[in-house]
Amino acid sequence: MAESTVHPPSKALVAQPTLSHRLRASATALLFLLPAAALVITFFIVPVIITLYISMTDMSTSTFSDPNFIGLQNYSRMFRSGAMGKIVRNTVFYVGTTLALFNVGMALVIALLTTHIPRRSGAFFRALWLLPRITPSVVYIMIWKYLAADAPFGVFNQVLQPLGIAPENWVLAAPWTMVILVNGFIGASFGMIIFTSAIESIPESYLHASRVDGATALQTIRYVILPLLRWPLLFVMTYQTLSLMTSFEQILLLTDGGPGYYTTETWALQAYHRALSNYFGNVNFGLGAALAAVLVLIGVILAIVYLRVFRFGELVQEPKIETL
Amino acid sequence: MYRKHVSGLLLAMLLLLAACGTSGAPPTVGGVPAPSAAASGGASPAASASPTEVVPPAKGDKSAISVWAQANNVETARAENIDSAAQQLGFKAEAIADPTGWGDYKKKFLLAADSGQAPDIILSGHEDIAPWGQAGYIIPLDDLINANQETFKNIIPELWKSVEWNGKRWGIPQDTEARPLWYNKQKLADLGWSQQEIDSLPDRIKSGEFTLDDMIATAKQAVEKGVVKEGHGYWHRPTKGSDFYQYYFAYGGALDDGSGKLLFDKAAAEKWFAFQRRVVEEGITPKNFIGTESKIWHETVTSGEVLFFNGGVWNFADWAKNYTKDKGGEEYLYGFVGWALQPSGEKGKPGVTLSHPLVYMVTSEKASGEQQQQDAFKAVTAATTPELNNKHALGSAHLAILTTQLDTPDYKANKILQGTAYMLEYTRFLPNNADFGTYDDIVFRAMSAAENGEMSPAEAVSMVADELQTELGDKVVIK
């Protein structure tokens, strides 16, 4: 039997698609992408460019309509500020602690607990945990302030005093604890929903199999459920890290970055204070924009790091079974 | 069994959650519901701006003279007076009494001015003159003032200083105030002070005989003898505000160097910061005090639990209407509240106070999109009368801005305004400097840190000097 050799067709024989062919072929796809692209450009790209521009000007109340271009002076001023070291440490502490204890930790605990009880009861408990998120920020913070207020006003003190704990204004006595609790109670609900839906989508057969193998509930969680939650964990962790880095309204309303010397001032709050809130009027939009621009950069870097660490590419690749 | 445990755990978490969501009831003092309106702050901007949406109100009738004036349930006459004055002149008027906090109010104005939608007249603190004048949002008024000398010759001369910037006058004073040291006469009597000693306290402070050291010693004695509770001997302002600079002045400090530059006097500031720390260490002010809710502060001092406390004269109207109405309002307050200048930090030097006049400013064509500056000024002029200003002064416990007001029967009959009028002779103003906001942020944080014990007074002063140098460079003089 004569061996047949299969040669690839020579390039000259294969018709190469022209540019217009290629454009025509992808026209439909581009058309469908257009609305989303327009939104992204209008609401994400353009604001970033405007922010970068403002950050290189001396725009303030007194120069609002006629700012001068000052290059990188705002960035230099920002990094020379003696307070920046503390603000960076505060931001890392706030994001890391709230994320670990509540936005991922507590969220996972609630999701696991509520999926191990009857479905309706689980839904009820989860709905309750949504209350802090749906309560308007100002009302929510006022409630916390009066819970934590000094005697004879605060509810915490009414509970703690009989236990021999001296009454305090707890927001001012333990500001970080309060900031983390206040934000964590809101943040936990997001992960709770994501983790719950992920847990409920795990095929029952996996859980039954683990029971048949004699696994305890904790072992089932450790060896079956948690490994299958890798993607939701990555998503919640990435999303909530960025969210915590940029959110500040609860801290603003609760402690306004105090008490004392930038005790609870985070990067985003500092950007707000510089750009939009000055007690005696003359706000520095330029400096605030520089702070915001660096925050965006840090956010992008962190997102890339997360995606690399969790091997995002592998998580979202198409199942091999469908490519056979 | 397993489900039982899980449900138990969930219930425990639920209780924790419920604890955070069920306590919206307003606090009570002695079983009496707290007032619904918190008209705190008076002439001072609110300490924290809420992140509410800032949308300039749409301007309606273009031909109307429009005015924005910040307001609360005690201070409503600021906008009403322009409205009635404009109507007397036959102008259409559009007056907005804005109840939002000062932070949002000023942001609204900034956005409106930059888009040519500002009102013709804006009322704000005199310290806004520098940034708004620099931005071209308001116009200098010297020529118009000179042409209306009949009215403006009656403005109390001291007040003109507050509206000067770059050698011109940019506003018309609308109100002013003193910031007294309030004291509880009943508690002083309980401490063993004679009636003569109590009655002479304002004079002894005025002459420099009774200083801040004496105040601390008296308050400490009151705590030790159980006349007031621990930490209730002396309560200063609980939130950020200009009141604190009174202690800087009391130790010889100044905010400007006389040439228009901001000044930071390290020696005076260190004494001031040390004073703030001492009041906590001596047990007359609670630990972690700065940041206390204003409402709680007002309720506590008006229920007679604190010996000495700082505030503004406008507090009196606020307390009478919003905190003690059911106990008799003004009469109840007169029964135990006394007032004096802030004591000096140095023996033999007179006490001090600080005024923060609110002023009417006329906006430029660039800011308002209108060319009716002359008419707007006429409306301000027509509102600057003893009758209309008395309406505001008497209703909200603010001091007179016109010499002709002082002799009106209503003003004369007002005990608190008469009793504090002399304080204007000892008053100081904040500087009209566009960078004062930056200066104030740095100083306030350091002062709070010194009071909390987070830094020593010397460290806090050094930190302020470094920060001011970094932020403001040669725009500030540090000595």
Side-chain angles (χ1 to χ4, degrees):
Chain A
M1 205 162 98
E3 276 186 26
S4 65
T5 311
V6 179
H7 294 285
S10 79
K11 280 184 181 175
L13 297 175
V14 179
Q16 291 297 306
T18 62
L19 181 65
S20 64
H21 275 114
R22 285 207 299 269
L23 278 178
R24 224 175 297 146
S26 53
T28 313
L30 287 173
L31 201 64
F32 276 110
L33 281 175
L34 199 61
L39 283 174
V40 169
I41 289 167
T42 309
F43 293 108
F44 293 95
I45 309 292
V46 171
V48 168
I49 292 168
I50 292 172
T51 302
L52 286 173
Y53 167 71
I54 294 174
S55 75
M56 293 184 202
T57 68
D58 66 350
M59 190 188 280
S60 67
T61 301
S62 53
T63 60
F64 189 50
S65 46
D66 189 22
N68 300 303
F69 187 80
I70 57 166
L72 297 176
Q73 280 181 38
N74 282 326
Y75 292 90
S76 147
R77 185 176 156 194
M78 182 174 92
F79 288 115
R80 277 187 294 124
S81 165
M84 278 315 286
K86 181 153 195 181
I87 291 169
V88 170
R89 287 196 296 278
N90 285 349
T91 309
V92 171
F93 175 75
Y94 162 67
V95 173
T97 313
T98 313
L99 193 71
L101 296 183
F102 286 91
N103 292 22
V104 173
M106 177 74 96
L108 193 57
V109 171
I110 300 169
L112 286 167
L113 292 176
T114 56
T115 49
H116 282 73
I117 58 173
R119 202 177 171 82
R120 288 178 71 161
S121 308
F124 171 72
F125 281 111
R126 284 194 298 276
L128 289 175
W129 275 90
L130 282 171
L131 281 177
R133 186 170 285 278
I134 59 174
T135 308
S137 298
V138 174
V139 176
Y140 178 66
I141 296 299
M142 285 308 294
I143 291 170
W144 273 95
K145 277 191 170 183
Y146 276 104
L147 282 171
D150 206 346
F153 302 95
V155 175
F156 291 166
N157 283 318
Q158 287 168 15
V159 175
L160 295 173
Q161 227 168 339
L163 303 176
I165 297 170
E168 290 264 18
N169 179 335
W170 293 102
V171 171
L172 303 173
W176 270 122
T177 306
M178 297 302 292
V179 163
I180 289 165
L181 282 173
V182 161
N183 282 280
F185 273 43
I186 297 174
S189 58
F190 178 84
M192 172 191 81
I193 292 169
I194 304 282
F195 296 143
T196 302
S197 60
I199 293 168
E200 287 186 341
S201 68
I202 294 172
E204 285 280 314
S205 54
Y206 288 24
L207 305 177
H208 293 156
S210 73
R211 290 276 170 82
V212 170
D213 287 347
T216 61
L218 284 179
Q219 284 170 328
T220 306
I221 290 169
R222 167 70 185 87
Y223 296 107
V224 179
I225 296 175
L226 287 183
L228 291 170
L229 290 184
R230 199 172 152 199
W231 161 242
L233 271 168
L234 163 68
F235 172 69
V236 170
M237 202 178 282
T238 309
Y239 186 90
Q240 293 288 60
T241 301
L242 303 182
S243 173
L244 284 167
M245 269 174 57
T246 54
S247 69
F248 61 86
E249 69 269 30
Q250 277 80 22
I251 309 179
L252 170 77
L253 293 165
L254 191 71
T255 64
D256 197 27
Y261 185 67
Y262 297 106
T263 302
T264 57
E265 182 96 347
T266 59
W267 194 300
L269 183 57
Q270 172 73 350
Y272 171 79
H273 278 144
R274 294 297 193 147
L276 291 165
S277 171
N278 182 312
Y279 191 78
F280 288 109
N282 193 17
V283 289
N284 293 292
F285 299 102
L287 183 58
L291 282 154
V294 174
L295 192 60
V296 168
L297 185 69
I298 294 170
V300 170
I301 292 169
L302 268 181
I304 292 170
V305 168
Y306 271 134
L307 298 182
R308 285 286 165 95
V309 168
F310 281 85
R311 296 199 291 273
F312 176 78
E314 286 177 26
L315 286 167
V316 296
Q317 72 186 355
E318 288 183 44
K320 288 190 173 59
I321 194 151
E322 287 176 15
T323 60
L324 291 174
Chain B
M1 191 66 161
Y2 156 76
R3 283 191 173 173
K4 237 182 198 173
H5 287 145
V6 172
S7 299
L9 189 55
L10 281 167
L11 273 170
M13 290 164 73
L14 175 64
L15 283 173
L16 187 64
L17 184 69
C20 299
T22 54
S23 182
T28 57
V29 181
V32 178
S36 59
S40 62
S44 299
S48 62
S50 64
T52 49
E53 191 183 6
V54 178
V55 182
K59 203 167 173 184
D61 189 344
K62 297 285 278 182
S63 65
I65 298 294
S66 54
V67 57
W68 290 1
Q70 209 267 350
N72 56 43
N73 73 338
V74 178
E75 301 167 1
T76 55
R78 292 180 174 128
E80 288 166 7
N81 283 354
I82 292 284
D83 189 42
S84 55
Q87 285 179 27
Q88 276 171 25
L89 292 168
F91 298 146
K92 276 189 271 182
E94 192 178 270
I96 293 177
D98 193 330
T100 53
W102 280 101
D104 284 342
Y105 174 77
K106 292 183 185 195
K107 265 179 266 173
K108 278 182 198 175
F109 175 74
L110 178 62
L111 296 175
D114 199 57
S115 55
Q117 292 290 314
D120 301 300
I121 301 162
I122 176 78
L123 176 126
S124 198
H126 71 94
E127 75 283 356
D128 290 316
I129 283 175
W132 293 354
Q134 203 167 311
Y137 295 148
I138 55 173
I139 61 168
L141 302 173
D142 291 270
D143 293 344
L144 294 164
I145 291 168
N146 291 336
N148 289 277
Q149 271 307 309
E150 254 331 283
T151 300
F152 295 116
K153 71 179 183 194
N154 297 323
I155 296 268
I156 292 170
E158 277 289 305
L159 298 177
W160 284 122
K161 286 183 198 164
S162 71
V163 298
E164 282 173 11
W165 176 70
N166 262 4
K168 292 179 179 163
R169 286 178 285 182
W170 299 74
I172 301 297
Q174 185 272 329
D175 75 7
T176 192
E177 77 291 315
R179 287 158 201 257
L181 173 73
W182 303 105
Y183 54 91
N184 188 322
K185 293 185 284 190
Q186 186 57 53
K187 296 289 180 192
L188 286 176
D190 294 346
L191 193 58
W193 281 33
S194 67
Q195 194 58 44
Q196 193 274 331
E197 282 175 310
I198 296 169
D199 292 344
S200 68
L201 182 60
D203 287 336
R204 286 189 284 140
I205 289 176
K206 197 160 62 174
S207 67
E209 186 193 328
F210 188 93
T211 62
L212 288 173
D213 287 343
D214 298 314
M215 185 194 76
I216 291 175
T218 309
K220 194 176 172 192
Q221 202 185 9
V223 170
E224 284 167 356
K225 287 190 171 177
V227 172
V228 291
K229 285 190 289 188
E230 171 92 20
H232 284 57
Y234 165 69
W235 279 25
H236 56 64
R237 182 187 173 102
T239 56
K240 193 176 184 181
S242 48
D243 305 42
F244 292 104
Y245 289 106
Q246 294 173 120
Y247 314 115
Y248 178 55
F249 300 145
Y251 287 108
L255 291 169
D256 61 71
D257 73 339
S259 71
K261 279 191 178 182
L262 291 167
L263 173 70
F264 182 66
D265 180 334
K266 292 204 283 188
E270 189 169 339
K271 288 177 189 165
W272 166 28
F273 291 178
F275 164 76
Q276 301 285 161
R277 182 64 198 146
R278 268 179 69 203
V279 298
V280 177
E281 282 177 341
E282 300 283 9
I284 61 174
T285 303
K287 282 188 299 176
N288 304 310
F289 183 65
I290 296 176
T292 299
E293 277 291 295
S294 291
K295 200 171 162 187
I296 290 175
W297 189 93
H298 289 296
E299 283 167 359
T300 308
V301 300
T302 54
S303 58
E305 293 177 36
V306 183
L307 178 59
F308 294 112
F309 41 110
N310 292 144
V313 64
W314 70 86
N315 288 147
F316 207 81
D318 182 22
W319 293 337
K321 181 164 183 177
N322 293 320
Y323 293 91
T324 61
K325 199 172 181 179
D326 54 332
K327 297 176 187 168
E330 285 195 359
E331 285 314 307
Y332 162 77
L333 290 167
Y334 283 132
F336 76 95
V337 176
W339 52 86
L341 289 165
Q342 302 298 329
S344 170
E346 296 159 15
K347 210 82 174 169
K349 295 210 169 155
V352 292
T353 192
L354 184 135
S355 298
H356 175 244
L358 296 189
V359 301
Y360 288 123
M361 291 167 266
V362 176
T363 57
S364 62
E365 186 183 346
K366 171 187 167 185
S368 66
E370 308 281 355
Q371 290 183 319
Q372 48 197 20
Q373 283 74 24
Q374 299 271 349
D375 287 348
F377 188 79
K378 279 182 194 165
V380 173
T381 308
T384 309
T385 64
E387 295 73 32
L388 287 178
N389 204 267
N390 265 355
K391 194 176 146 195
H392 169 72
L394 300 171
S396 66
H398 279 86
L399 297 182
I401 54 148
L402 294 163
T403 49
T404 44
Q405 250 178 288
L406 300 172
D407 295 327
T408 56
D410 286 348
Y411 196 90
K412 273 184 161 172
N414 189 295
K415 200 169 162 186
I416 185 70
L417 297 185
Q418 282 296 313
T420 52
Y422 77 93
M423 294 183 184
L424 286 185
E425 291 169 38
Y426 301 87
T427 200
R428 308 282 279 271
F429 299 115
L430 298 177
N432 282 344
N433 187 304
D435 293 306
F436 182 65
T438 306
Y439 178 103
D440 175 64
D441 275 346
I442 294 167
V443 171
F444 177 74
R445 285 187 190 274
M447 187 276 290
S448 311
E451 176 165 322
N452 288 352
E454 202 180 322
M455 292 179 190
S456 71
E459 285 167 344
V461 166
S462 165
M463 196 278 297
V464 172
D466 291 347
E467 286 278 299
L468 287 176
Q469 204 71 70
T470 307
E471 293 279 339
L472 299 175
D474 61 3
K475 292 179 190 166
V476 61
V477 174
I478 295 168
K479 74 165 193 183

